[in-house]
Amino acid sequence: CIRDSAGRSGAERELIVEALLLALLAHQAEPGPRRQAGTPLEMRMREYVAEQGYRANVKLLAGHFGLSTAQFKYRFARETGSAEIKRRIDEMVLAAALRHLEYSEMKAGAIAAQLKFPDLYTFSRFIRRHTGQSPSAVRKALRRRPAG
């Protein structure tokens, strides 16, 4: 049995990815204030990240909002209760990537280009860093899970 650097088999990695994806879906379906809606700042951030994709970063977002980086970080922390701007940007890019992988027939390279990754390798590393799986394995896992 082939194992990864953490000693996990392919089947174990698939279970981890499925668990992560189900947790993400469960989080999105939780009652109460929806994370997707977010604060007005997050909604505007989501629009900008949708345009800029992987290129979006704290400095560019601050400039887009007409703020210094420090002002933007302060405002983000005040409005969201979190100082993890980069993590939130990555969540937005990851959500877009997962939607493409699950619902579109686009090849990974086309998704990478659409989300403004510099190349397929960077896109694959990003997906693997956040899910532990390659884009094709994530696509299979997303499409295998039961609907509803």
Side-chain angles (χ1 to χ4, degrees):
C1 179
I2 298 174
R3 300 206 174 263
D4 67 8
S5 60
R8 293 182 292 252
S9 69
E12 290 171 319
R13 288 191 310 270
E14 282 187 32
L15 288 173
I16 291 169
V17 169
E18 284 189 44
L20 287 169
L21 295 172
L22 289 173
L24 178 64
L25 291 170
H27 175 72
Q28 290 294 324
E30 286 178 357
R34 297 250 353 206
R35 175 81 173 144
Q36 183 65 18
T39 67
L41 178 66
E42 282 183 300
M43 290 187 298
R44 290 179 58 206
M45 275 179 63
R46 191 174 298 106
E47 290 173 12
Y48 184 76
V49 171
E51 290 172 15
Q52 295 300 313
Y54 183 74
R55 293 186 301 206
N57 62 46
V58 178
K59 185 176 179 179
L60 289 175
L61 274 164
H64 176 72
F65 287 102
L67 301 169
S68 70
T69 303
Q71 290 169 324
F72 182 73
K73 287 178 178 179
Y74 173 79
R75 185 171 168 194
F76 182 85
R78 191 182 72 222
E79 288 192 24
T80 66
S82 170
E84 298 178 346
I85 301 171
K86 173 67 170 125
R87 180 173 167 208
R88 187 67 186 118
I89 293 168
D90 284 352
E91 287 173 356
M92 292 174 183
V93 174
L94 180 62
L98 293 176
R99 279 192 305 273
H100 280 296
L101 289 169
E102 182 172 12
Y103 298 113
S104 82
E105 296 302 322
M106 294 170 67
K107 294 185 181 213
I111 296 171
Q114 173 113 17
L115 297 177
K116 305 209 176 32
F117 281 83
D119 52 48
L120 176 59
Y121 177 73
T122 305
F123 174 71
S124 295
R125 270 194 359 237
F126 178 85
I127 295 297
R128 188 175 295 277
R129 184 174 66 243
H130 290 283
T131 67
Q133 293 283 325
S134 68
S136 60
V138 170
R139 176 174 266 162
K140 286 177 189 171
L142 286 168
R143 292 182 175 182
R144 246 195 344 252
R145 65 185 175 140

